[in-house]
Amino acid sequence: MRTVFGIYVAPETDPAVRKNISRIAPALWRACGDDAKYKLGIVLEGYNVNLFKDKHALGEQFFEVVGGNSFRSPSERVIIVDELITELLDKHNGWDNFHHEPPVAAQLYSYVPEQASIFDNLALRLFKVVLMCRVGRGVAYCEGVSPGGRKYYDAILAAAGDKFAAHVMASLSHFEVKNKLHNGLCRKHAKSALEIVRKNVINARLIECLDYLIANIETGAAYVDNAEFRKLSAGYITW
């Protein structure tokens, strides 16, 4: 795989050869072990550090082709993910968000396809923004949620598990999200989001917290931070 990668990023490689590599690279990538993939991520970062801009650009293209963004170096990924979270929020709040959210959501998901790839220091912000997009804008068209982005939001929420479920629940009480919950459609989607998160949670207390919200959130926004829920979630959510 490293030889194939080297040929792909070599400036003198014929475009036709590069195109042929693009056809076989995904299969080769799937056959490689994770260690080899991470090593290529370090090589790619090295191109950037050493100002080999052309090689770095081609290397980024290669990682896109093989679906390997989650194997890029942590120092590169943390910057990219942070920028993509900001961009997704901008698209969600901007004009024609239904059209503009999906490409960014797809890109973001390619860097955080599983729980292990989510950075602890970005997790709360990641789940808050994804939840905002999944809860939607409360309008009739597509029930307020981008059809093309929805599958990526659901996939990221499903990765929360025990480790990040509390972040999802805490996000519901943040002003930007809670303000949406005054809309019935948004509460409906919030319930769906919580049900997705619950599927991959094992901790009994977290399940109890999620079940409480799932049972009550369609009734009104007050349940996301009332005294009963605060008591139930003590130790998991900092109020």
Side-chain angles (χ1 to χ4, degrees):
M1 174 56 74
R2 184 155 183 171
T3 300
V4 171
F5 179 72
I7 296 171
Y8 191 91
V9 301
E12 67 274 10
T13 298
D14 186 272
V17 174
R18 199 169 282 130
K19 184 176 181 179
N20 287 333
I21 290 175
S22 296
R23 291 172 176 167
I24 63 170
L28 292 174
W29 182 266
R30 289 191 294 271
C32 281
D34 286 356
D35 286 346
K37 295 174 182 177
Y38 283 120
K39 285 178 181 177
L40 283 184
I42 294 171
V43 171
L44 178 61
E45 181 187 19
Y47 292 150
N48 195 33
V49 171
N50 294 298
L51 302 180
F52 296 128
K53 298 300 183 183
D54 291 344
K55 279 192 169 186
H56 186 259
L58 288 168
E60 286 188 306
Q61 186 182 93
F62 180 88
F63 271 74
E64 289 281 351
V65 166
V66 299
N69 282 334
S70 63
F71 288 92
R72 291 180 61 172
S73 72
S75 55
E76 281 203 312
R77 282 200 306 117
V78 71
I79 295 171
I80 295 169
V81 170
D82 187 48
E83 291 174 346
L84 286 170
I85 294 171
T86 299
E87 186 178 358
L88 180 59
L89 181 60
D90 289 343
K91 299 299 185 188
H92 177 68
N93 290 329
W95 175 80
D96 198 9
N97 67 298
F98 296 101
H99 174 72
H100 292 118
E101 283 180 34
V104 183
Q107 190 75 357
L108 177 60
Y109 175 67
S110 75
Y111 285 94
V112 290
E114 57 189 8
Q115 188 183 97
S117 61
I118 298 172
F119 294 100
D120 290 353
N121 62 322
L122 295 178
L124 180 56
R125 188 160 162 262
L126 169 69
F127 285 108
K128 177 183 172 182
V129 171
V130 168
L131 188 61
M132 287 180 69
C133 293
R134 182 60 180 84
V135 166
R137 298 178 71 166
V139 297
Y141 179 70
C142 296
E143 294 193 326
V145 181
S146 169
R150 186 170 182 159
K151 61 183 177 182
Y152 300 111
Y153 307 142
D154 287 354
I156 293 172
L157 289 167
D162 286 16
K163 187 175 182 180
F164 299 123
H167 287 341
V168 179
M169 292 187 287
S171 295
L172 289 168
S173 66
H174 291 189
F175 172 77
E176 299 95 326
V177 182
K178 191 175 181 181
N179 191 48
K180 288 173 174 281
L181 298 180
H182 294 294
N183 180 286
L185 274 175
C186 291
R187 292 197 300 274
K188 172 187 172 182
H189 291 309
K191 179 180 179 179
S192 296
L194 291 167
E195 289 171 337
I196 290 167
V197 172
R198 190 195 184 285
K199 289 178 182 178
N200 293 316
V201 170
I202 299 172
N203 181 282
R205 177 52 69 87
L206 288 173
I207 289 175
E208 190 176 359
C209 292
L210 287 163
D211 283 345
Y212 175 85
L213 290 175
I214 290 168
N216 293 294
I217 197 166
E218 282 194 286
T219 306
Y223 287 95
V224 303
D225 59 0
N226 66 7
E228 187 176 359
F229 182 66
R230 284 173 179 254
K231 182 179 179 180
L232 189 63
S233 61
Y236 293 95
I237 298 176
T238 302
W239 299 99

